[in-house]
Amino acid sequence: MAQSTVSTESYGVRYGLIAAVVMIAYFLFINMINLQDVEIVRFASNIFIILAVMWAIYSFKNNYRGPVPYLPGLAVGFLVGLIGSVVYAFFIYVYAKFLNPNYATVLNTQDYYGSVLSPMMLAGAITILGTAVGTMTGYILMMAYDNSGARTTE
């Protein structure tokens, strides 16, 4: 049985934190250049979760001895999305609630997901979306990397 040199949890936490830091930097950057009201620009932060999952699974694959099993690879994608989006959502909540209360008023005038959301609801929505993006990216990548022999040639 092949063993990974590093656990899936450590990959998920490491790359999830990297994704969160980059998303926070991106958020501060778009606020600095006053593009936070542009929906496409705001939601583009999910690209960093996709890139972090790709990087994490690629690194996991390179450090794994033997064929990469599907479920541990999927777990890496899920954890990167979950950790990254939870940390980012927590930052958004703290930013809107304590660091810049005026931003909470801005949130109340913007239409997120078809409705007006409080900072807490926005944090929850960010967490759900980020986790889904990470999981789906991991799912797609593991379809390419899975060499477990479960596929048929018929």
Side-chain angles (χ1 to χ4, degrees), residues 53-71:
V53 170
M54 291 171 65
W55 189 15
I57 290 177
Y58 178 77
S59 181
F60 181 73
K61 178 179 132 347
N62 286 339
N63 291 317
Y64 202 88
R65 286 179 252 147
V68 179
Y70 183 80
L71 287 178

Side-chain angles (χ1 to χ4, degrees), residues 3 28 30-31 36 44 68 71 77 82 84 88 91 119 134 136-137 147:
Q3 295 293 320
L28 295 173
I30 66 171
N31 277 286
Q36 70 274 11
V68 179
L71 287 178
L82 179 66
Y88 178 61
F91 169 78
M136 291 308 296
T137 304
N147 295 325

